[in-house]
Amino acid sequence: MQTKPTYSYSQLNTFHDCPYAWSRLYLDHVPRSGNFFAEYGTIIHSVLEEFAKGELQRDALRDVFEWRFDTEIVETPPYNKYVELGPKYRQQGLDFFENFEGFDGLEIIGVEQHFKLDFDSYFLQGFIDLVYRDRDGKLICRDWKSGS
């Protein structure tokens, strides 16, 4: 019995950007090397996840981000002739958490909520960063994009 393949957004995005890279990662299983941007995104997501779960208070977010950025990022950002990316991303994260308004008045339904959709010939799966009801009762799925 043949099983249907399962894809994620990142797999499809990798294939869209570079089919050869997709083949190397998902067919040949070549390990990925470290990546500054992935480490940065992981820190942003983990701080927001812990806050949404009630594990961090709003006034601690900036400090927790700053400590994790300074201690958990081990990869060097790539060279950019216009700006040093490390300090730029550090400040961008500090600014984000300084101005983050939180989730007051929102009903949190799920954090890092797994989904798997069954299509005719494949599954699509992933994790939704945050699922909540807004003040008008609308169900919202939120995906954090730490690069913007």
Side-chain angles (χ1 to χ4, degrees):
M1 177 177 169
Q2 190 172 14
T3 60
K4 295 191 287 189
T6 300
Y7 301 108
S8 68
Y9 171 80
S10 11
Q11 284 178 311
L12 297 175
N13 194 48
T14 300
F15 185 84
H16 179 266
D17 289 345
C18 180
Y20 179 71
W22 181 87
S23 173
R24 297 288 289 154
L25 287 169
Y26 298 106
L27 297 180
D28 300 337
H29 303 288
V30 173
R32 293 179 191 230
S33 58
N35 179 313
F36 168 81
F37 301 111
E39 290 176 343
Y40 176 80
T42 297
I43 291 169
I44 295 282
H45 274 77
S46 67
V47 171
L48 289 167
E49 178 182 350
E50 290 170 29
F51 175 68
K53 289 179 173 178
E55 298 168 1
L56 287 175
Q57 297 299 313
R58 162 67 189 88
D59 59 358
L61 299 180
R62 187 179 190 280
D63 291 341
V64 170
F65 165 78
E66 184 173 35
W67 180 80
R68 288 184 180 167
F69 186 95
D70 293 344
T71 61
E72 294 177 11
I73 292 192
V74 296
E75 294 297 326
T76 303
Y79 172 76
N80 181 303
K81 69 179 182 178
Y82 301 107
V83 64
E84 284 189 60
L85 292 177
K88 176 187 177 202
Y89 272 72
R90 185 179 191 276
Q91 188 60 52
Q92 188 174 290
L94 292 170
D95 292 345
F96 173 80
F97 285 112
E98 183 69 31
N99 297 306
F100 181 66
E101 294 181 10
F103 307 126
D104 291 341
L106 305 178
E107 175 192 355
I108 305 293
I109 295 170
V111 180
E112 289 297 314
Q113 193 72 45
H114 180 259
F115 70 89
K116 189 170 187 177
L117 304 174
D118 187 351
F119 292 92
D120 289 335
S121 58
Y122 64 93
F123 292 104
L124 178 66
Q125 76 169 350
F127 289 87
I128 302 170
D129 294 335
L130 185 66
V131 180
Y132 61 91
R133 286 199 190 282
D134 69 8
R135 290 169 182 86
D136 298 326
K138 288 192 263 181
L139 191 61
I140 308 290
C141 295
R142 180 80 186 254
D143 185 50
W144 302 109
K145 294 298 177 206
S146 54
S148 57

